[in-house]
Amino acid sequence: MGLEQLLRKHFSKGHEIYLRNISVDCVIFGFHENELKVLLLQAKYAGIWALPGGFILKEEHMDESAKRILRNRTGLDDIYMHQFHVFSQPDRSTKAVNQQFLKNVGVEIKESWMFERFLSVGYTALVDFTRVQATPDEFAAACEWFNVQSLPDMILDHREILETALRELQINLNYKPIGYNLLPEKFTMPGLQKLYETILNRKLDRRNFQRKIMATKVIIKLADTKKGVAHKAPVLYKFDLKSYKNALKIGMGFEL
Amino acid sequence: MGLEQLLRKHFSKGHEIYLRNISVDCVIFGFHENELKVLLLQAKYAGIWALPGGFILKEEHMDESAKRILRNRTGLDDIYMHQFHVFSQPDRSTKAVNQQFLKNVGVEIKESWMFERFLSVGYTALVDFTRVQATPDEFAAACEWFNVQSLPDMILDHREILETALRELQINLNYKPIGYNLLPEKFTMPGLQKLYETILNRKLDRRNFQRKIMATKVIIKLADTKKGVAHKAPVLYKFDLKSYKNALKIGMGFEL
DNA sequence: TTATCATTGTGTCATTATGACACAATGATA
DNA sequence: TATCATTGTGTCATAATGACACAATGATAA
């Protein structure tokens, strides 16, 4: 199907399969080369970027919508996703934006459910950067990772959504185990610390960090060390999946 | 306007003023006689109870919808409300419930936006029990307080919404100052402790409790004592509004 | 009038958690 | 074989926490 046809169908028939007035936007975090990254889409025929988003199918649990969006953009499945906030400014209207988009593409549509007001539910996911197949959706020209420290212009309130998600992540660092999805299966203690330092955007004491992380019991020291690195070979660790999942549920009481 | 007319208007024209597929439900907590209470509505011509809820006007911020609902049920204004979760089970359908309700009332309506699926956004409020003028809405026969320990049958997933709100409140007790809206302006330390014990549903050590509460600096000791009580007259305290609001924003790091 | 008693207010102490810090071990590289 | 950046681990003073005891108060009852 060509873009024009796709757009006509989406704008004129979308309300037959999706709920109205609600959308889902996903803040997908990854970690690569000691940088915290977020996955964004670039609208076709426009420079501006957006969070991967979508709508809720009429018979679908909202968590499934978020997972579907994640799956379609990354190829990843079975990732824990978490709703964190509903954005409901009345003027976060997509009408002007959508009409501009249609104009850019050269399609004229008069009436559409897409011109109504949308609330958006923000979801976060933490994913393994190396396993992601970044895939644009049908209305996007590109799907790329950005360092959270240097973000491009973003549509609507997507910048605010992203920053709320980041704040959430920083707070959760103290109560939830983080890293299972962001790191490879085996990782080093300095590697884990870099992740924490990157998210918190501040330095942590190496020795106290190790003491506290080990006190949570969610990671296990392996016999192996990481080979082929300069300097002393660091010991490898992995998450203890059982404790990890437990800690995800009940939290950890933990202060960095 | 009679009930039938009201219902016809709401079911046939409501979608002209409200967003579709989204509702707001409010868990309004109060504290009275050492019990944690929640405000519920009883559907007309049915025994079953429900959380005070409503819909989002087309040009209204969702927070305003929640405040409007609170104001209409309690007469209270300027109360801090907080969205805590979106409930999105596809089968939390209101269709059967609404049709049953119409049948009870004796009104027949074939098609309605009210028969579609609704997501519901849960909000909490903490209010001063003594200042509440409990007022049923037009579709309710009664508006009453219930002890959270002995709740009646509730429609749809309202029981789950309520319990999620309660869990939220228990967790927040450790990070946010609680009590300003739930207690009278002047209160005693044992009174505040009772509130905490009631919400957490466990006993706390009197001396350690006082030490920790005072360490937060959000409450101020007054010169006065509470008169006319048996036994030793307890000292009165009040919230320091400035510190309180600050603590609401940035949290408190606090463990009971 | 005075003793009783439930309740309030405050202090101590041992234990644990925390932050600041130093030194030895390692292993690639020069 | 020496160098050196990095890793791994231990210590210490201080702060926070939980468990606990005793004195003060003031209404009530003898």
Side-chain angles (χ1 to χ4, degrees):
Chain A
M1 223 187 297
L3 177 59
E4 178 171 345
Q5 220 177 330
L6 267 173
L7 278 170
R8 289 203 180 280
K9 186 175 169 193
H10 180 69
F11 276 72
S12 63
K13 302 270 189 188
H15 63 281
E16 291 173 10
I17 60 170
Y18 295 120
L19 297 186
R20 286 175 181 260
N21 303 314
I22 316 173
S23 62
V24 169
D25 284 305
C26 300
V27 183
I28 302 169
F29 289 112
F31 184 64
H32 187 61
E33 287 176 346
N34 292 339
E35 289 184 350
L36 187 65
K37 308 277 194 178
V38 63
L39 196 65
L40 300 180
L41 297 174
Q42 187 174 40
K44 272 179 178 159
Y45 305 100
I48 207 155
W49 295 78
L51 293 168
F55 306 95
I56 302 166
L57 290 167
K58 286 201 167 177
E59 294 299 328
E60 183 186 49
H61 192 291
M62 185 171 60
D63 291 355
E64 288 308 314
S65 317
K67 284 186 182 176
R68 176 168 50 78
I69 293 164
L70 177 70
R71 188 170 53 244
N72 290 339
R73 293 306 121 247
T74 65
L76 296 178
D77 226 321
D78 282 321
I79 301 285
Y80 173 73
M81 295 193 77
H82 172 69
Q83 54 158 280
F84 62 94
H85 197 77
V86 183
F87 296 85
S88 68
Q89 283 287 129
D91 61 358
R92 66 182 299 286
S93 148
T94 53
K95 180 161 185 176
V97 171
N98 280 323
Q99 283 181 326
Q100 184 59 49
F101 176 62
L102 289 174
K103 200 174 165 189
N104 289 343
V105 180
V107 175
E108 201 188 338
I109 291 170
K110 287 232 156 57
E111 291 268 311
S112 171
W113 69 299
M114 286 290 288
F115 295 159
E116 290 178 29
R117 172 182 168 200
F118 279 85
L119 307 195
S120 192
V121 183
Y123 270 80
T124 48
L126 305 174
V127 304
D128 183 346
F129 182 91
T130 63
R131 291 177 54 216
V132 169
Q133 296 287 334
T135 313
D137 66 25
E138 57 268 54
F139 307 131
C143 181
E144 285 174 24
W145 289 103
F146 284 84
N147 185 331
V148 295
Q149 303 292 347
S150 57
L151 295 167
D153 269 353
M154 297 172 72
I155 60 164
L156 305 175
D157 54 357
H158 284 203
R159 181 67 178 258
E160 182 194 346
I161 296 177
L162 203 164
E163 272 163 12
T164 305
L166 186 54
R167 240 182 346 262
E168 246 259 330
L169 178 59
Q170 289 172 337
I171 291 170
N172 271 339
L173 227 42
N174 280 320
Y175 311 119
K176 301 273 182 179
I178 304 271
Y180 179 66
N181 290 314
L182 283 168
L183 293 170
E185 194 192 336
K186 297 178 180 184
F187 54 88
T188 66
M189 189 58 72
L192 182 63
Q193 185 178 341
K194 285 273 164 39
L195 171 61
Y196 274 77
E197 290 181 337
T198 303
I199 293 174
L200 290 174
N201 203 21
R202 65 184 168 94
K203 291 278 170 213
L204 299 170
D205 183 277
R206 200 161 53 86
R207 295 149 286 193
N208 297 337
F209 179 78
Q210 165 133 348
R211 186 210 295 152
K212 287 176 187 180
I213 288 290
M214 293 313 285
T216 67
K217 311 268 191 192
V218 295
I219 76 168
I220 299 173
K221 187 174 185 170
L222 300 174
D224 235 10
T225 58
K226 181 162 184 171
K227 315 294 185 190
V229 290
H231 316 300
K232 180 171 180 176
V235 175
L236 289 168
Y237 293 81
K238 67 168 184 178
F239 281 92
D240 176 26
L241 208 47
K242 203 169 129 84
S243 315
Y244 174 82
K245 291 198 167 168
N246 186 252
L248 257 190
K249 276 212 190 89
I250 65 165
M252 298 194 309
F254 180 77
E255 193 87 20
L256 282 169
Chain B
M1 221 189 301
L3 178 59
E4 178 170 343
Q5 221 177 330
L6 266 173
L7 279 169
R8 289 202 180 280
K9 186 175 171 195
H10 182 68
F11 276 71
S12 64
K13 302 272 190 189
H15 63 279
E16 290 174 9
I17 61 170
Y18 295 121
L19 298 186
R20 287 176 180 258
N21 303 313
I22 315 173
S23 61
V24 169
D25 285 304
C26 300
V27 182
I28 302 168
F29 289 111
F31 184 63
H32 188 60
E33 289 176 345
N34 291 340
E35 289 183 351
L36 187 64
K37 310 274 196 182
V38 63
L39 196 64
L40 300 181
L41 297 174
Q42 186 175 41
K44 271 180 179 159
Y45 306 101
I48 205 155
W49 294 78
L51 292 169
F55 306 96
I56 301 165
L57 290 167
K58 286 201 167 179
E59 294 300 329
E60 182 186 49
H61 194 290
M62 185 171 59
D63 291 355
E64 288 307 315
S65 317
K67 284 187 181 174
R68 176 169 48 79
I69 293 164
L70 177 70
R71 188 169 54 244
N72 290 339
R73 295 304 123 246
T74 65
L76 296 178
D77 227 321
D78 281 321
I79 300 286
Y80 174 73
M81 295 193 76
H82 172 68
Q83 54 158 280
F84 62 94
H85 197 77
V86 184
F87 296 85
S88 66
Q89 282 286 130
D91 61 359
R92 68 181 299 287
S93 147
T94 53
K95 180 162 186 177
V97 171
N98 280 323
Q99 283 180 327
Q100 183 60 48
F101 176 63
L102 290 174
K103 201 175 164 187
N104 289 343
V105 180
V107 176
E108 202 189 338
I109 290 169
K110 287 233 159 56
E111 291 267 312
S112 171
W113 68 298
M114 285 290 287
F115 296 158
E116 289 178 30
R117 172 183 168 199
F118 279 86
L119 306 196
S120 191
V121 183
Y123 271 80
T124 49
L126 304 175
V127 304
D128 184 346
F129 182 92
T130 63
R131 291 177 54 217
V132 169
Q133 296 286 335
T135 314
D137 66 25
E138 56 268 53
F139 308 132
C143 181
E144 286 174 22
W145 289 102
F146 283 83
N147 185 330
V148 294
Q149 303 293 344
S150 57
L151 296 167
D153 270 353
M154 297 173 71
I155 60 163
L156 303 176
D157 55 356
H158 284 204
R159 180 69 177 256
E160 181 194 346
I161 296 176
L162 203 164
E163 272 163 13
T164 304
L166 186 53
R167 241 182 343 264
E168 245 259 331
L169 178 58
Q170 289 171 339
I171 290 171
N172 270 341
L173 227 41
N174 280 319
Y175 311 120
K176 301 274 182 179
I178 304 273
Y180 180 67
N181 289 314
L182 283 168
L183 293 172
E185 195 192 337
K186 295 178 181 184
F187 53 88
T188 66
M189 190 57 73
L192 182 64
Q193 185 178 340
K194 284 273 164 37
L195 172 61
Y196 274 75
E197 290 181 336
T198 304
I199 293 174
L200 291 175
N201 203 22
R202 65 183 168 93
K203 291 277 167 216
L204 298 170
D205 183 278
R206 200 161 52 87
R207 295 150 284 192
N208 296 338
F209 179 79
Q210 166 134 346
R211 187 210 294 152
K212 286 175 189 182
I213 289 291
M214 294 312 287
T216 67
K217 312 268 192 191
V218 295
I219 77 168
I220 300 173
K221 187 175 185 168
L222 300 174
D224 235 9
T225 57
K226 181 162 185 170
K227 314 293 182 190
V229 290
H231 316 299
K232 179 169 179 176
V235 175
L236 289 168
Y237 294 81
K238 67 168 185 178
F239 281 92
D240 177 28
L241 208 46
K242 204 170 129 85
S243 314
Y244 174 84
K245 291 199 168 167
N246 188 251
L248 257 191
K249 276 214 191 87
I250 65 164
M252 299 194 309
F254 180 77
E255 193 88 19
L256 284 169

